[in-house]
Amino acid sequence: MFRSDYISQLDIQLLFKMKTLRSFSAVINMCLTSYVCCVMQHLGELVLGFLNRDLQPSCLLACLETVRILSRDKHRLDPFITRSAMLTLARYAGIVVDITATPAHSHLVEGQDQEVIVEALKSICNILLHNETGQVRFFDLRLTFLLTALRVDVRTQLAQELHGISLLGNLFPVQTLAGFESIPPEELPPLSREQAERAMEILKILFNITFDTTRRKVDEEEAAEYRHLGAILRHCLLSHADGEERTEEFHSHTVNLLGNLPLPCLDVLLMPKVQQGSIEYMGVNMDAVNMLLEFMERKLDRGHKLKETLLPSLNLLTESARIHRETRKFLRSKVLPPLRDVKNRPEVGNALRNKIVRLMTHIDTDVKDYAAEFLFVLCKENVSRFIKYTGYGNAAGLLAARGLLRGGRESGIYSEDEDSETEEYREAKAHINPITGVVEEEQPNPMEGMTEEQKELEAMKLVSMFDRLSRCNVIQPMQLGMDGKMREMTPEDLHKVAHNPLVQSEEPANSESEDDAQ
């Protein structure tokens, strides 16, 4: 009995010690887990701090490898999901340029080591896999933008197989503004910084997958998608972000994408009903068109990189005016109002017409051509009206390219409008120099008092000088051909001109017979 009781007491003591040991182990495990969590979080913050310094390549690679390993644990991502951390990793991955980066990091995008890029991308992929915060979603969109920009197959797959237009359209934060159509544009709530940045990434992705839309026909289903997208873009155009610069960037991406939409789908810009506070013209809501015009003028006034900043909006307005009569008439009322000033050259002044006419002699050929095309469309592609507002000298480039130097009209289909001549223009019309487009003081005739023989002698001297310059390849004399285009003058042509300088190869078309209606 004694031995049995003794063993029983030993068992009880052993069981008590085991229970105590398990409790102690649980407490130790909890403490260790908490300690490890704090250590790992501190380690993550410490490594990110190192990454913001100028490091040696081997140390830099070791830090990024550490981030990659730490980011595998979805419960320990707190140090890596902040904006500054994501920007740091994105810089090393070469997918974003941070304007706040120090000079030591200004070289990170160009000439980046491939191993560094790969490690940074792996870390970002881990974070994207385990976290769904808004900041991480932004970089998810940034990676999608890069893939669609670099890979044609990914672009096609997203656009067609994955219905990317509808998919991305549903991610727009401006979708929340769908119920605000009755509110004037200036009263729309501003987008937050995060909303604006995410929307701009979506706009850039959509631009990549739709940039070839205007080059092909779209079916009814696609047209419906593009119209829905156009309605969203109209909201974007009338929305504003938290700051003038961010709003300008947001609108730039919106305009770029609008230029990719099929032209018939642009009518969604005019479809909303006219509300109180809206800009109305001919019974149509012109808020979006007016916003585009103001945006274009701001880019024009800045004069910086006009080819990249001005042409998207200028081309969008041109094509909209070409197919929508109300848009064209509204734009003409703003850009080419009835002409009253006949004393100053068309390119002189601060009116929008003067600014665009100045672009018609710009050194950049694309800028020059787009500006001339815009005004030509507003003039319904009527040569005499085009010259009236721009002067023959400014208009000569477009007319020569179109074979319209003899006058006439392009084959575009335009409606007939009312006469736009003002009384001031009608009175001065006979005295306007068509080359400059203004009334000039009468100049003395340099050949006054000369005999016919003297005139012919001066003409021969002039032709002789032209011939020498031509033979030395200094200039190439040109003349107007039968097709209305310029062609080179041969020695025979110069000989004809020398013996009869007042004769022309063909009488120009009578431009006065053309109507001058709007």
Side-chain angles (χ1 to χ4, degrees):
M1 292 292 294
F2 175 76
R3 183 177 179 82
S4 175
D5 292 340
Y6 177 73
I7 294 175
S8 178
Q9 290 177 7
L10 289 176
D11 291 341
I12 292 173
Q13 291 178 6
L14 182 60
L15 290 172
F16 178 76
K17 290 180 179 179
M18 290 178 63
K19 184 177 181 181
T20 303
L21 183 60
R22 283 196 295 268
S23 300
F24 178 75
S25 298
V27 171
I28 292 298
N29 185 55
M30 185 184 305
C31 292
L32 287 174
T33 302
S34 177
Y35 176 74
V36 169
C37 179
C38 292
V39 169
M40 292 182 66
Q41 181 167 347
H42 181 67
L43 178 61
E45 295 172 352
L46 190 64
V47 171
L48 286 171
F50 278 118
L51 288 176
N52 287 320
R53 301 178 183 178
D54 190 12
L55 302 176
Q56 294 295 325
S58 58
C59 184
L60 172 61
L61 191 60
C63 288
L64 289 172
E65 289 174 346
T66 304
V67 174
R68 170 173 57 82
I69 295 171
L70 293 176
S71 60
R72 291 172 179 171
D73 188 348
K74 63 181 178 181
H75 301 296
R76 308 288 185 266
L77 292 178
D78 289 349
F80 309 117
I81 59 176
T82 63
R83 177 177 178 82
S84 60
M86 291 297 291
L87 281 174
T88 299
L89 293 173
R91 285 203 311 270
Y92 283 109
I95 62 175
V96 69
V97 178
D98 185 12
I99 59 175
T100 62
T102 60
H105 297 98
S106 60
H107 65 284
L108 290 178
V109 175
E110 296 184 2
Q112 188 71 279
D113 184 77
Q114 290 299 315
E115 289 184 332
V116 170
I117 293 176
V118 170
E119 287 299 326
L121 286 173
K122 287 180 179 179
S123 300
I124 292 175
C125 288
N126 287 342
I127 298 170
L128 295 179
L129 179 64
H130 297 308
N131 193 278
E132 289 295 329
T133 62
Q135 186 59 46
V136 173
R137 179 64 62 85
F138 167 79
F139 286 95
D140 197 358
L141 292 170
R142 173 59 62 88
L143 287 173
T144 305
F145 161 69
L146 289 173
L147 286 172
T148 54
L150 299 174
R151 295 283 300 272
V152 178
D153 56 334
V154 173
R155 190 186 310 155
T156 304
Q157 183 182 22
L158 179 58
Q160 299 178 3
E161 298 179 19
L162 302 178
H163 303 285
I165 296 176
S166 299
L167 179 66
L168 292 167
N170 293 331
L171 297 178
F172 266 102
V174 289
Q175 285 281 62
T176 57
L177 300 179
F180 288 75
E181 290 187 2
S182 59
I183 300 179
E186 62 273 10
E187 296 182 15
L188 289 173
L191 298 174
S192 66
R193 176 176 180 176
E194 291 74 16
Q195 285 179 321
E197 289 184 344
R198 189 169 67 174
M200 286 189 284
E201 291 302 316
I202 296 173
L203 289 169
K204 292 191 289 185
I205 298 171
L206 285 169
F207 178 85
N208 287 344
I209 66 176
T210 61
F211 83 98
D212 63 337
T213 303
T214 55
R215 303 184 184 93
R216 61 181 179 85
K217 292 184 179 181
V218 295
D219 56 29
E220 293 184 4
E221 182 179 354
E222 288 180 307
E225 285 186 344
Y226 284 118
R227 287 180 183 276
H228 177 65
L229 177 59
I232 296 175
L233 295 180
R234 184 182 184 277
H235 278 302
C236 291
L237 201 60
L238 298 178
S239 303
H240 54 283
D242 59 338
E244 184 177 345
E245 290 187 7
R246 199 176 304 278
T247 299
E248 197 76 6
E249 184 182 3
F250 180 47
H251 287 168
S252 294
H253 291 301
T254 303
V255 170
N256 291 341
L257 181 54
L258 277 170
N260 285 354
L261 266 59
L263 294 180
C265 298
L266 291 178
D267 59 355
V268 295
L269 299 178
L270 310 176
M271 290 181 67
K273 296 180 180 179
V274 177
Q275 304 288 345
Q276 185 177 2
S278 298
I279 298 176
E280 180 267 338
Y281 190 84
M282 296 178 64
V284 178
N285 189 321
M286 288 292 172
D287 287 340
V289 177
N290 187 68
M291 183 69 74
L292 284 171
L293 186 63
E294 292 178 351
F295 176 83
M296 185 268 289
E297 187 170 9
R298 287 197 300 272
K299 295 296 184 182
L300 177 56
D301 290 340
R302 289 176 184 173
H304 179 63
K305 294 184 178 180
L306 290 178
K307 188 172 182 177
E308 293 80 10
T309 61
L310 174 68
L311 296 195
S313 56
L314 189 59
N315 181 60
L316 181 60
L317 289 171
T318 300
E319 297 305 325
S320 298
R322 197 191 302 274
I323 64 173
H324 295 122
R325 175 174 178 263
E326 295 83 2
T327 299
R328 176 180 58 78
K329 290 174 69 68
F330 173 76
L331 290 175
R332 179 166 185 191
S333 69
K334 295 289 186 178
V335 181
L336 300 177
L339 191 58
R340 300 182 184 279
D341 183 5
V342 293
K343 295 183 179 180
N344 293 312
R345 295 190 176 209
E347 65 271 20
V348 176
N350 294 319
L352 186 52
R353 172 179 77 105
N354 308 132
K355 298 175 185 178
I356 298 177
V357 171
R358 283 197 290 270
L359 291 181
M360 294 172 64
T361 53
H362 195 273
I363 189 172
D364 189 296
T365 303
D366 289 333
V367 174
K368 176 177 65 175
D369 292 344
Y370 274 74
E373 182 73 15
F374 177 59
L375 296 181
F376 195 46
V377 168
L378 294 189
C379 292
K380 299 199 302 183
E381 303 186 11
N382 183 294
V383 173
S384 62
R385 190 177 310 136
F386 185 50
I387 294 174
K388 166 185 170 182
Y389 282 99
T390 66
Y392 191 87
N394 293 317
L398 180 139
L399 298 180
R402 299 288 187 88
L404 295 172
L405 285 172
R406 292 189 178 278
R409 184 172 182 170
E410 280 281 54
S411 58
I413 301 176
Y414 296 96
S415 60
E416 292 298 331
D417 303 323
E418 70 278 3
D419 191 342
S420 64
E421 284 191 358
T422 61
E423 184 176 349
E424 294 89 339
Y425 178 80
R426 192 178 295 111
E427 291 177 354
K429 186 175 181 179
H431 307 286
I432 292 177
N433 183 340
I435 303 299
T436 60
V438 295
V439 176
E440 297 180 342
E441 296 181 0
E442 293 188 8
Q443 301 293 328
N445 186 356
M447 292 191 289
E448 185 176 357
M450 296 175 61
T451 65
E452 293 300 322
E453 290 76 11
Q454 290 174 325
K455 293 179 182 178
E456 184 173 352
L457 180 60
E458 291 298 323
M460 287 295 294
K461 291 180 181 179
L462 183 61
V463 171
S464 178
M465 287 188 288
F466 273 120
D467 184 56
R468 288 200 302 271
L469 291 172
S470 177
R471 293 178 185 278
C472 296
N473 294 322
V474 177
I475 64 169
Q476 175 58 62
M478 307 288 288
Q479 72 174 0
L480 192 60
M482 298 291 291
D483 57 356
K485 296 183 178 181
M486 300 300 293
R487 68 176 182 85
E488 295 181 6
M489 291 186 71
T490 64
E492 292 76 13
D493 295 326
L494 288 172
H495 182 74
K496 291 179 182 178
V497 173
H499 286 79
N500 196 353
L502 301 180
V503 73
Q504 295 184 3
S505 59
E506 182 182 348
E507 290 297 324
N510 184 13
S511 60
E512 296 298 328
S513 62
E514 299 179 11
D515 67 282
D516 197 34
Q518 183 174 346

